[in-house]
Amino acid sequence: MSPLNGNRSDGSERSARPDRPGGSATPLCTAYDTALLDLDGVVYAGGAAIAHAVDALLTARDAGMRLAYVTNNALRPPDEVARHITELGVPTEPAEVINSAQAVARLISEQVPPGSRVLVIGGEGLRVALRERGLVPVESADDDPAAVVQGYGGPELPWGRFAEACYAIARGVPWYASNTDLTIPSARGIAPGNGAAVEVVRIATGAEPQVAGKPLPPMHRETVLRTGARRPLVVGDRLDTDIEGAFNGDVDSLLVLTGVTDAARLLAAEPRHRPTYVDADLRGLLTPQPEVTGGPGSGFACGGWHASVRDGVLVLDGDAGLGGGGGEGGAPMDGLRALCAAAWSAAGDGACTADAGKALSRLGL
């Protein structure tokens, strides 16, 4: 049985349902043994800690939850990432960091002879991971590489590095990518990610890389091997990597709204992009998650909010008398959970196209 099988140690099944966010009667930090945390957009953005992240992680760990950082960003090696998280205020060991560089290095090592040269288009994290697998990083297409690997190299990566990749790929050298995230959060906003750089090489060569990062199986396997989690919770900000990766691994997930995904994108999510839980930030690890009740006929309720789809529009009604912690109808996250249930139920196996603008405006989202 896989350590990431999605079942609790007491035999109960995972919480995810395709038509609504899940509920948890106990805080998530006690319902799950390990948080598999994305970094960019979840713990930090542009190097600075996201609001409430440090205190939430320390409290979750004090409650017995193990913390593991699972990131598609291949730029920095685990010891550097661990040092950064420690400096932010959460003491972290390099072994607690799992990145897509490690996943892609393992993938390459299984397909080329030991000691092979690999042309690196990216940062130091790729070089460290390749050496860990007994491979030799090189810098030129003329160094007779057995593979080309491309990972996020930061905003200063020279344009000429893409040309080196193209020269080697044109000679028939197999191409690998750590991940294909098109964007990455930064302190100034959303910036191009490794996926955008991969597209440059793809357009120039017409080739297709083998990809290791979330949401694909090589990253899931790397996480299994390095964490040994039994009741994991994937925590992320991206539907197409973090949440889809959890879906592919059949484990529960928490989406936080501190990074790439906003409320409108969440409402339009198709089944493989629907998280088990949703919360504003990492403080969601510390609390129970409220149940969403109701159904398509009567609408869906959470806290003091009631949501339904009427004539192609998502409608949100609030009743402070139902409870929910103050304000019109209660907490905004409860309103969003009710809206998710209404949108996902109406969409079925597709993406909801109902207009959500007015409903989200009422929540300030």
Side-chain angles (χ1 to χ4, degrees):
M1 184 172 63
S2 165
L4 294 186
N5 57 39
N7 295 329
R8 310 256 177 98
S9 60
D10 61 3
S12 59
E13 297 296 321
R14 65 192 293 260
S15 304
R17 290 183 57 176
D19 68 339
R20 69 189 70 189
S24 175
T26 60
L28 297 182
C29 61
T30 59
Y32 298 88
D33 71 344
T34 307
L36 304 181
L37 296 137
D38 186 45
L39 285 170
D40 294 302
V42 175
V43 177
Y44 53 65
I50 287 173
H52 311 295
V54 170
D55 288 343
L57 291 174
L58 291 173
T59 302
R61 190 169 62 187
D62 288 345
M65 182 176 239
R66 292 171 54 206
L67 306 179
Y69 302 92
V70 185
T71 175
N72 265 356
N73 192 330
L75 178 61
R76 298 183 296 170
D79 61 343
E80 186 176 332
V81 175
R83 186 164 55 251
H84 180 197
I85 300 170
T86 299
E87 290 170 352
L88 293 178
V90 185
T92 303
E93 297 296 327
E96 295 175 297
V97 178
I98 302 95
N99 63 28
S100 62
Q102 295 167 327
V104 76
R106 188 185 298 271
L107 182 64
I108 295 169
S109 72
E110 294 170 344
Q111 299 183 29
V112 303
S116 293
R117 299 177 180 183
V118 179
L119 174 59
V120 175
I121 313 299
E124 185 61 20
L126 280 175
R127 296 176 178 86
V128 169
L130 290 168
R131 294 187 189 106
E132 184 183 58
R133 301 253 70 88
L135 301 170
V136 180
V138 298
E139 303 301 316
S140 171
D142 296 333
D143 289 331
D144 194 27
V148 178
V149 63
Q150 187 171 359
Y152 183 64
E156 306 305 322
L157 184 69
W159 187 259
R161 302 305 300 151
F162 304 141
E164 290 299 322
C166 293
Y167 301 148
I169 293 166
R171 297 170 189 171
V173 177
W175 175 32
Y176 300 81
S178 64
N179 68 296
T180 54
D181 297 19
L182 290 173
T183 60
I184 188 169
S186 75
R188 297 175 61 191
I190 302 301
N194 190 55
V198 167
E199 285 301 308
V200 171
V201 178
R202 191 200 312 267
I203 292 168
T205 64
E208 291 289 335
Q210 292 188 55
V211 182
K214 297 181 285 187
L216 298 173
M219 190 67 179
H220 173 73
R221 180 177 56 152
E222 196 71 23
T223 302
V224 168
L225 292 172
R226 291 179 182 266
T227 67
R230 301 301 303 178
R231 290 180 292 119
L233 179 70
V234 170
V235 185
D237 69 310
R238 301 183 70 105
L239 301 179
D240 58 347
T241 55
D242 305 313
I243 305 309
E244 185 176 342
F247 177 88
N248 290 340
D250 197 30
V251 299
D252 288 349
S253 60
L254 166 67
L255 179 82
V256 291
L257 300 179
T258 49
V260 169
T261 301
D262 60 18
R265 290 190 182 97
L266 176 62
L267 295 179
E270 57 189 73
R272 64 197 173 107
H273 291 162
R274 295 172 187 169
T276 315
Y277 311 105
V278 58
D279 222 311
D281 53 54
L282 284 178
R283 289 176 295 178
L285 290 172
L286 310 180
T287 61
Q289 293 289 310
E291 294 280 353
V292 178
T293 61
S298 60
F300 297 88
C302 185
W305 298 100
H306 181 273
S308 59
V309 178
R310 304 176 198 165
D311 299 322
V313 176
L314 276 163
V315 178
L316 185 67
D317 299 307
D319 182 353
L322 292 177
E328 183 189 14
M333 282 297 106
D334 288 344
L336 181 59
R337 295 178 184 110
L339 284 171
C340 284
W344 298 349
S345 178
D349 291 335
C352 183
T353 58
D355 183 0
K358 185 175 180 180
L360 291 178
S361 178
R362 289 189 65 183
L363 297 174
L365 298 173

